[in-house]
């Protein structure tokens, strides 16, 4: 005895299959394995405070009188930590720099980054070293700095002002949707 599937049942199965395939495409975004987004942001700088708000320093004039002159704010960004990326689930290369700007703000700069694109890739500061945070955990109290702007190039991420930088040891490229590290860089403090 030959059994046939009715047209309504076939339509229902087709709709369910279409929904499953669509959900899979949305979740995994397989086309990103074949695409690339390049970002080339300039190194971070901060706007210096106006000269009238700057502290003054005493400078002797030719006549011996003391003249008050504004002292120059620190204009050069200072590296607080830096390191090279090591690969996690995806080949990842480049450098991470934690930079203090003249205005006191801090930026995480990714330079010459090369990694894969993914469906929900973010940039984090982790309390764990790169060897641990690139694999399967960000560690407690990781700080999300934002979505990865591009999987290639140079980019800057503002670190929240209240972040205790002494607690954080690595920068991590992390796929939030699948809880997996693409790569991480230890932020070694300069001597």
């Amino acid at each position: 005895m030959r059994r046939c599937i009715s047209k309504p049942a076939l339509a229902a199965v087709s709709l369910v299959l279409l929904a499953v395939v669509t959900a899979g495409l949305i979740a995994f975004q397989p086309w990103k394995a074949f695409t690339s987004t390049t970002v080339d942001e300039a190194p971070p700088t901060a706007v210096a405070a106006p000269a009238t708000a700057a502290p003054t320093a005493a400078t002797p004039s030719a006549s011996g009188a003391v003249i008050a002159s504004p002292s120059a704010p620190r204009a050069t960004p200072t590296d607080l930590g830096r390191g090279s990326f090591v690969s996690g689930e995806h080949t990842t290369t480049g450098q991470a720099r934690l930079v203090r700007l003249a205005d006191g703000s801090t930026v995480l700069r990714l330079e010459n980054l090369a990694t894969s694109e993914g469906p929900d890739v973010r940039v984090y500061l982790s309390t764990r070293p790169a060897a641990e945070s690139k694999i399967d955990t960000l560690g407690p109290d990781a700080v999300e700095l934002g979505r990865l702007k591009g999987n290639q190039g140079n980019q800057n991420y503002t670190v929240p002002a209240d972040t205790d930088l002494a607690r954080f040891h690595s920068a991590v490229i992390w796929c939030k949707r699948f809880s997996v590290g693409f790569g991480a860089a230890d932020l070694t403090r300069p001597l």
Side-chain angles (χ1 to χ4, degrees), residues 51-177:
T52 57
T56 59
T59 306
S61 69
S63 67
V66 176
I67 301 171
S69 61
S71 63
R74 189 171 40 105
T76 306
T78 304
D79 276 0
L80 301 177
R82 68 171 42 225
S84 296
F85 277 98
V86 291
S87 298
E89 290 294 320
H90 295 265
T91 301
T92 302
T93 60
Q95 295 76 44
R97 290 177 54 209
L98 197 56
V99 181
R100 171 79 31 90
L101 303 180
D103 65 0
S105 64
T106 305
V107 171
L108 177 69
R109 177 158 172 83
L110 307 182
E111 295 179 333
N112 302 311
L113 178 69
T115 191
S116 302
E117 285 205 297
D120 191 16
V121 183
R122 312 283 176 116
V123 178
Y124 286 86
L125 289 178
S126 173
T127 58
R128 299 197 173 198
E132 294 175 25
S133 59
K134 72 181 175 81
I135 304 296
D136 60 1
T137 182
L138 287 167
D141 305 320
V143 175
E144 182 180 328
L145 302 181
R147 288 187 177 274
L148 186 67
K149 297 173 185 177
N151 65 312
Q152 306 282 323
N154 305 306
Q155 46 208 279
N156 305 313
Y157 296 87
T158 302
V159 176
D162 61 346
T163 304
D164 179 5
L165 297 174
R167 296 185 58 234
F168 295 92
H169 303 290
S170 63
V172 184
I173 308 299
W174 184 264
C175 180
K176 189 172 182 177
R177 182 169 297 157

Side-chain angles (χ1 to χ4, degrees), residues 42-53:
T45 58
V47 178
T52 57

